[in-house]
Amino acid sequence: MQKIIKYTLFSAVIATLGLQSCKDSYFDKLSDNPNQVANPTLNTLLATSTYKAGFNNYSVATIILPYVQYTANPAANGAGDTYQAIDFSGTWDLLYFAMADANEMKKLAITQNSSEYKGVADVLIAYNLMMVNDLWGNAPFSEAFNINNLVPKYDKQEDVYASTMALVDEAIVELAKTDATVKLAAASDLIYGTTASIERANWLKMAYGLKARLLNKVSKRNTHNPAAVLDAVSKSFASNDEDARMQTFRERSPWATVAQNNEQQSLGGWLSEQLIDALNGKSYPVFDPRLPKITDLTVDGKYIGTVNGAGNRLPGANTRKDENYISRNSPWSGNTSPIFIITYAELKFIEAEAAFDIDRTRSYNAYLTAIRANMDKFQVAAADKEAYMAQPTVAVGASALTKDLIFKEKYIATYLNPEAWNDARRFDYRYKDFTMPANASLPTFIRRLDYPQGERSKNGANVPVEVLRTTRLWWDQ
């Protein structure tokens, strides 16, 4: 059931990177701010931090959707579609303010001897830090939350990854404890608060899920350890019911707002030709029953995507609705649809990939389970699901399974999730029929973001020398 937020969202005053370097002018005003929570409780911080984890998932997803060609701009030469320089200072600040709130929760949890709150804080800091690391690479962390240092150094991207892993490992230790002096308050937990009896256990499983994601991300590196990935997966989610998702909104899901705006001619959320063709039988010889669960038929009764960089095919197509866009009729983007942070289906695909060279039978079974789980999440009818699963291009058998098939199916399962760009880069964008966008400003696929202008103005001495957007992050090499 959808919850409506009735409290003031707290942003910790030590969020650092979003603050101006003029210390007195900023901090002197805080005591006069009637909306600022002077002494937030663990419950307040839990509510704010879990809300922000979901909203930041959405915020980052809006950046990467054209890069993985889930969405496309209905006008030609869209900045995101064509890999142009874009200032994402707002998203950067959202991520760091979220980490600052969770860091305050962690400090307070330590003083109150609450292993549960400390573990959850670690998970939430790690989740937001992962997204910073995946978008920009080098980033402040080791000095990021010191109120006396408003110009923190940038840690190397490999060190940021290591810090994220350390947070997850610490969370696992804390959440395995059962003797916390202060237990999690289900009413304030916007991710797992609906399952109070197993709230701590679910957070522990989420921590293992993030660990599996982190370990799998370095699949191109010689440090990649498939056995460790599989161990983390085995300790994480066992069903769709345990998915980490946030479903609390002021009015409606932000994805539903995108769809509603489109309905009212404030256009956005048009779906890419790549995504539509991957599902409508064009790129693959089977119609995927998840397509009607993602979008609605056009006015012509068809499923047609927009070409990235080229815009809609016909004059007036934007208002006529003769290409597909995000729908409020979808379980992923309805008014009360959850924002999925990490899911059971994703973990089964991680298992399929990690087991591929170790145990092909396990890999194949995980691949099939992942597809079924994702279809169940999309509320596909049982008969349609079984018909799809029986297709010879899907039910290929363990010996004929390929990583291409695993990545192809995972591409659908991570719809609207920031993790999709990490997979696309690890897979070198080798999805079937996946091409460079029209009118691209780069010669090859995009691999990273430019550092935000806000950072250059506030912490310019420490911001790394700008690198090309085609430069691969360390785990992508």
Side-chain angles (χ1 to χ4, degrees):
M1 179 179 294
Q2 180 189 21
K3 300 177 184 176
I4 303 298
I5 296 178
K6 297 184 182 294
Y7 46 80
T8 300
L9 295 180
F10 170 72
S11 291
V13 300
I14 64 165
T16 72
L17 301 187
L19 311 184
Q20 297 291 337
S21 59
C22 185
K23 181 178 176 182
D24 292 340
S25 64
Y26 182 86
F27 286 101
D28 286 350
K29 295 177 182 178
L30 289 179
S31 61
D32 301 324
N33 184 354
N35 296 318
Q36 187 73 41
V37 181
N39 295 295
T41 64
L42 285 173
N43 292 354
T44 301
L45 290 164
L46 178 62
T48 290
S49 296
T50 49
Y51 173 83
K52 288 184 177 181
F55 189 80
N56 286 351
N57 173 291
Y58 161 77
S59 298
V60 173
T62 61
I63 293 174
I64 67 95
L65 293 186
Y67 301 158
V68 296
Q69 297 187 23
Y70 283 152
T71 62
N73 196 310
N77 301 301
D81 291 52
T82 57
Y83 306 155
Q84 296 175 38
I86 305 175
D87 181 14
F88 292 115
S89 293
T91 301
W92 175 281
D93 289 345
L94 286 173
L95 291 164
Y96 272 94
F97 275 105
M99 283 190 280
D101 287 349
N103 190 59
E104 287 296 285
M105 179 166 66
K106 180 175 179 177
K107 291 193 297 184
L108 189 58
I110 291 172
T111 64
Q112 297 189 18
N113 194 29
S114 176
S115 53
E116 293 190 7
Y117 276 94
K118 182 182 177 186
V120 168
D122 281 331
V123 169
L124 294 171
I125 296 169
Y127 179 63
N128 287 285
L129 186 59
M130 286 172 68
M131 290 191 283
V132 171
N133 197 207
D134 293 336
L135 296 175
W136 288 283
N138 294 2
F141 183 70
S142 60
E143 296 181 357
F145 306 108
N146 179 355
I147 194 170
N148 297 311
N149 180 11
L150 299 182
V151 285
K153 72 174 183 178
Y154 274 60
D155 300 335
K156 293 181 180 179
Q157 55 187 304
E158 297 92 328
D159 294 337
V160 177
Y161 173 90
S163 295
T164 309
M165 185 65 78
L167 285 164
V168 170
D169 283 337
E170 182 177 81
I172 288 170
V173 171
E174 296 300 318
L175 291 167
K177 298 175 181 177
T178 58
D179 58 350
T181 301
V182 181
K183 304 288 186 179
L184 292 169
S188 299
D189 182 351
L190 307 187
I191 293 179
Y192 283 123
T194 58
T195 53
S197 63
I198 52 174
E199 189 177 4
R200 177 195 59 79
N202 278 339
W203 277 104
L204 178 57
K205 291 181 179 182
M206 180 179 172
Y208 274 113
L210 293 178
K211 182 168 186 174
R213 185 188 272 181
L214 279 166
L215 290 168
N216 200 51
K217 192 173 297 174
V218 297
S219 59
K220 291 183 177 181
R221 309 292 295 181
N222 57 15
T223 56
H224 183 232
N225 185 344
V229 177
L230 294 174
D231 179 68
V233 167
S234 70
K235 297 171 182 174
S236 189
F237 305 148
S239 72
N240 282 340
D241 293 337
E242 296 170 346
D243 288 353
R245 79 286 176 275
M246 200 283 290
Q247 197 173 358
T248 299
F249 315 112
R250 291 183 179 88
E251 294 183 67
R252 67 185 68 85
S253 162
W255 293 117
T257 298
V258 171
Q260 177 179 271
N261 290 344
N262 193 302
E263 294 166 2
Q264 298 173 353
Q265 309 304 322
S266 178
L267 301 174
W270 292 82
L271 296 174
S272 170
E273 178 188 50
Q274 161 63 23
L275 175 66
I276 298 299
D277 287 356
L279 295 165
N280 67 6
K282 183 174 181 180
S283 293
Y284 302 95
V286 57
F287 181 87
D288 193 314
R290 286 169 288 192
L291 182 53
K293 300 296 184 177
I294 289 175
T295 189
D296 304 316
L297 288 166
T298 67
V299 293
D300 301 315
K302 299 177 181 179
Y303 291 109
I304 301 175
T306 301
V307 178
N308 289 81
N312 288 138
R313 294 169 174 80
L314 300 172
N318 293 356
T319 55
R320 187 171 180 268
K321 312 296 186 186
D322 56 4
E323 293 182 5
N324 296 116
Y325 56 93
I326 289 173
S327 170
R328 281 201 287 170
N329 295 320
S330 169
W332 248 242
S333 51
N335 287 346
T336 60
S337 296
I339 294 175
F340 294 107
I341 296 172
I342 183 168
T343 66
Y344 172 63
E346 180 193 335
L347 287 169
K348 297 307 287 187
F349 280 119
I350 290 174
E351 179 182 355
E353 184 185 347
F356 186 82
D357 293 322
I358 299 174
D359 184 340
R360 191 63 59 84
T361 298
R362 177 177 179 178
S363 176
Y364 182 64
N365 289 337
Y367 154 83
L368 294 176
T369 300
I371 300 172
R372 290 179 182 278
N374 184 242
M375 288 203 168
D376 289 343
K377 210 72 176 179
F378 268 114
Q379 301 174 18
V380 173
D384 293 335
K385 177 178 67 175
E386 294 309 319
Y388 181 85
M389 299 301 299
Q391 290 289 329
T393 55
V394 177
V396 297
S399 61
L401 181 66
T402 63
K403 285 192 176 180
D404 286 13
L405 272 175
I406 295 171
F407 274 92
K408 173 249 183 181
E409 287 288 347
K410 192 180 180 188
Y411 175 79
I412 308 304
T414 51
Y415 171 64
L416 301 185
N417 193 298
E419 191 64 16
W421 193 27
N422 298 329
D423 285 337
R425 288 178 285 179
R426 289 193 307 112
F427 192 49
D428 293 321
Y429 292 90
R430 290 186 290 105
Y431 303 107
K432 193 173 186 294
D433 297 337
F434 199 101
T435 59
M436 285 282 290
N439 306 310
S441 63
L442 301 178
T444 60
F445 292 111
I446 189 169
R447 297 285 179 168
R448 62 186 301 148
L449 302 183
D450 295 331
Y451 282 102
Q453 289 302 313
E455 263 299 274
R456 293 198 174 280
S457 67
K458 291 176 285 194
N459 193 17
N462 289 318
V463 178
V465 174
E466 196 59 79
V467 294
L468 297 175
R469 292 185 294 282
T470 53
T471 303
R472 298 172 184 239
L473 297 178
W474 73 279
W475 51 260
D476 189 25
Q477 299 174 13

